Amino acid sequence: MIDYKEIIKRNPNKRFGKPCIRDTRITLFDVLGWLAARMTQDEIIYDFPELTVDDIKACLAYGADREHKIKLSS
């Protein structure tokens, strides 16, 4: 699994503290929403060239890790 902690950042002064990709204003939720809407990684990167395949994988890894932590705390 990719180490998303190097890619996904939270800044309370950017996008209301939502987790964003590196120093962009693109949130994890934006990327997951595009994937859920059936956009391919190539389409996302074409529309947002500041993103990389590793950025998209980091979003998935973050989501998987968060889900795992929620299940453990239940």
Side-chain angles (χ1 to χ4, degrees), residues 2-46:
I2 195 163
D3 184 12
Y4 64 84
K5 294 175 186 125
E6 298 297 318
I7 296 172
I8 307 295
K9 306 288 182 186
R10 286 181 181 260
N11 178 341
N13 298 318
K14 189 183 288 185
R15 297 292 303 264
F16 304 102
K18 293 178 183 175
C20 291
I21 313 303
R22 290 176 277 103
D23 294 323
T24 70
R25 296 184 57 79
I26 300 170
T27 68
L28 162 90
F29 307 108
D30 293 333
V31 175
L32 294 179
W34 298 327
L35 291 170
R38 297 183 172 261
M39 283 183 77
T40 66
Q41 290 181 0
D42 289 337
E43 290 171 328
I44 294 169
I45 292 168
Y46 180 81

